[in-house]
Amino acid sequence: MKVTIIGTGYVGLTTALVLSYLNHDVSAVDKDINKLNLLQEGNCPIHEPYLQEFLDEVGYNIRFTLDIADVVPDSDLVLIAVGTPPKKSGEADTSHVETAAKEVAEVCHPDKHYTLVIKSTVPIGTNRRVAEVINDVFSQRQVKGDVSVASNPEFLQEGLALHGALYPDRIVVGANTENALNDLRRLYQPILEQTFDSPTLLPRPESYHLPPMMTTDPNSAEMIKYAANTFLALKISFINEIAGLCEEVRADVTEVARGIGLDSRIGHRFLRAGLGWGGSCYPKDTAALLGVATENDYEMPITEAARKVNFKQRKHIVDKLREVLKTLEGKTIGILGLSFKPNTDDVREAPSLDIIRQLVDEGAVVRAHDPVAIPNAKNAFSDHSIHFIPDVYQLPMNTDAIVLVTEWDLYHKLDLRRLAKLMKTPILIDGRNVYSPQDVINAGIHYIGIGR
Ligand code: UDX
């Protein structure tokens, strides 16, 4: 099928590459000329496993362009994957989505059928508003037009983007017309039936089952995205709340998570206690859901509490440091990990940023390492007093304590004895509970975890 994707961020670019891999005829539009130049030259603008390899393999088949009018008229499907940043109120700003829809309506052929798919995460009711925007343009153009709007929320997990796109748990489609449903079923057929050859780098998991395509109304589809992210966010906040109490009563939260996870109704996943969630989705989506609730005069105390618990974790870790070092003034603290989670260079809403700001405010000297996120972290700080250290074994020099913030694989394998020798005082706060406390203690380091 002929597909245009508007927006080449995480979602847009991953979708474009995967659809091209599945032999669709793909065009990708973006307003950022620098990003387009990079893509046209075959360079991936984000750090995401295997995205560069996919770009090498199929990128030359994709038309990357600034101009919607170049590619939309001949398309069967147009996928909108532009950003929906938070407004001051927390609500998601859908203006980029509406602008994209308007631009599509301005250039599409009046007699051809199109399915316009909203992949961006949008507040409930956006589908209807987008359909109105399109109809307004058609009235101005004095044409009838034939565009069906559908919602197809994206569940992309950074670090696992391509894997999730090729082997999803489910595909959710919210649409009111048969045309839109049929188009989306055709678009995703190779994934629904798993008829494509698995890429060597991303083999199909042996236990993988064919994914269902769940069809529903557009409002419910939009709500599914918010509810899924909020549920995962509160699962993590729940275990973090339990972790806090474990510290009081001398229980080990990793054991508690293991024990409750064995109940198949609960499951093991997303029960890792630690510094909580960051990234481009959970903080923004939980705030947006609360925004929708407020607009509807509806209270959501569970969602509010999940946010409160999450952001408290970042303060709690600084409290632990202050407690063990007596004061933070003049102390040198090493930070292991800046990205909001491993395998990405994304630092949006990363716990590391808040923790570093607090440390600097209290007069500490910060030395920070990350395998890939240093450039993005540098951009996030106007303060130039933070020392970014590219070599992980240089990080411990003169440190009074080290805090592990992001659980990169590299850190699991650190030579702890070497670390201990290089630190001024060997104290490690394990913000993600990745180490065995005994291993750290055996290396001569004072160990402090979360909830254990
Ligand atoms: C999430 C959703 O998983 C995805 O479906 C949606 O489309 C976008 O939001 P992402 O933000 O990439 O994806 O990250 P995810 O892997 O879900 O982790 C989010 C945060 O939770 C990370 O900061 C991670 O460190 C933290 N986390 C995760 C925990 O603290 N404990 C856990 O047990 C799991």
Side-chain angles (χ1 to χ4, degrees), residues 367-397:
R367 293 168 66 77
H369 174 270
D370 191 283
V372 297
I374 288 180
N376 283 345
K378 275 187 181 162
N379 287 337
F381 288 107
S382 49
D383 180 336
H384 298 295
S385 70
I386 299 145
H387 303 272
F388 292 101
I389 315 287
D391 175 356
V392 71
Y393 285 107
Q394 292 291 318
L395 184 89
M397 302 299 179

Side-chain angles (χ1 to χ4, degrees), residues 309-385:
V309 168
N310 188 60
F311 297 115
K312 204 169 80 185
Q313 291 303 94
R314 302 172 183 194
K315 287 206 174 69
H316 186 49
I317 202 124
V318 177
D319 294 342
K320 279 176 183 268
L321 265 175
R322 201 185 304 103
E323 200 179 303
V324 69
L325 295 172
K326 309 293 180 245
T327 173
L328 292 171
E329 177 84 47
K331 295 286 162 69
T332 301
I333 311 297
I335 299 289
L336 282 174
L338 293 161
S339 56
F340 83 97
K341 69 174 194 179
N343 300 321
T344 175
D345 61 354
D346 196 342
V347 299
R348 284 176 290 176
E349 303 274 348
S352 66
L353 304 186
D354 266 354
I355 294 166
I356 291 174
R357 276 189 206 109
Q358 290 177 70
L359 293 172
V360 171
D361 284 351
E362 294 201 32
V365 175
V366 174
R367 293 168 66 77
H369 174 270
D370 191 283
V372 297
I374 288 180
N376 283 345
K378 275 187 181 162
N379 287 337
F381 288 107
S382 49
D383 180 336
H384 298 295
S385 70

Side-chain angles (χ1 to χ4, degrees), residues 97-366:
V97 174
E98 289 176 31
T99 305
K102 185 167 167 277
E103 288 171 1
V104 169
E106 279 163 355
V107 299
C108 63
H109 291 303
D111 308 321
K112 178 173 156 49
H113 171 75
Y114 301 86
T115 294
L116 181 84
V117 183
I118 303 179
K119 280 195 94 60
S120 306
T121 301
V122 291
I124 297 94
T126 302
N127 254 261
R128 211 175 348 127
R129 258 198 313 285
V130 164
E132 282 163 13
V133 166
I134 291 171
N135 286 334
D136 286 349
V137 176
F138 286 158
S139 311
Q140 281 160 22
R141 286 179 65 189
Q142 298 184 330
V143 296
K144 192 158 169 279
D146 183 8
V147 175
S148 311
V149 182
S151 167
N152 172 215
E154 174 60 52
F155 301 102
L156 176 152
Q157 234 183 316
E158 286 182 32
L160 295 167
L162 282 168
H163 189 275
L166 292 167
Y167 313 116
D169 286 345
R170 78 304 208 185
I171 291 174
V172 174
V173 172
N176 287 327
T177 70
E178 271 308 308
N179 273 343
L181 284 176
N182 290 339
D183 278 350
L184 278 153
R185 215 171 265 124
R186 263 184 74 202
L187 182 76
Y188 288 125
Q189 195 170 6
I191 290 178
L192 294 169
E193 295 174 5
Q194 291 288 305
T195 45
F196 60 91
D197 289 330
S198 276
T200 326
L201 292 168
L202 287 156
R204 186 173 292 117
E206 268 175 32
S207 56
Y208 185 66
H209 295 293
L210 294 184
M213 177 164 132
M214 176 192 161
T215 57
T216 182
D217 63 280
N219 280 11
S220 302
E222 288 166 344
M223 183 59 109
I224 284 169
K225 171 66 195 240
Y226 280 119
N229 273 357
T230 303
F231 185 80
L232 292 169
L234 67 90
K235 198 171 177 192
I236 300 166
S237 283
F238 173 76
I239 201 67
N240 280 334
E241 185 169 271
I242 293 291
L245 192 56
C246 282
E247 288 180 5
E248 299 300 324
V249 300
R250 300 185 136 261
D252 181 340
V253 73
T254 58
E255 291 296 300
V256 176
R258 196 157 67 93
I260 64 174
L262 285 167
D263 184 328
S264 58
R265 291 169 302 176
I266 297 174
H268 288 290
R269 298 179 70 192
F270 280 69
L271 283 180
R272 278 180 286 113
L275 280 164
W277 33 270
S280 66
C281 289
Y282 297 159
K284 181 167 83 73
D285 294 351
T286 49
L289 190 63
L290 289 174
V292 175
T294 308
E295 209 176 276
N296 288 281
D297 240 337
Y298 184 75
E299 287 183 10
M300 297 193 81
I302 297 179
T303 307
E304 275 171 19
R307 286 176 60 81
K308 200 167 148 199
V309 168
N310 188 60
F311 297 115
K312 204 169 80 185
Q313 291 303 94
R314 302 172 183 194
K315 287 206 174 69
H316 186 49
I317 202 124
V318 177
D319 294 342
K320 279 176 183 268
L321 265 175
R322 201 185 304 103
E323 200 179 303
V324 69
L325 295 172
K326 309 293 180 245
T327 173
L328 292 171
E329 177 84 47
K331 295 286 162 69
T332 301
I333 311 297
I335 299 289
L336 282 174
L338 293 161
S339 56
F340 83 97
K341 69 174 194 179
N343 300 321
T344 175
D345 61 354
D346 196 342
V347 299
R348 284 176 290 176
E349 303 274 348
S352 66
L353 304 186
D354 266 354
I355 294 166
I356 291 174
R357 276 189 206 109
Q358 290 177 70
L359 293 172
V360 171
D361 284 351
E362 294 201 32
V365 175
V366 174

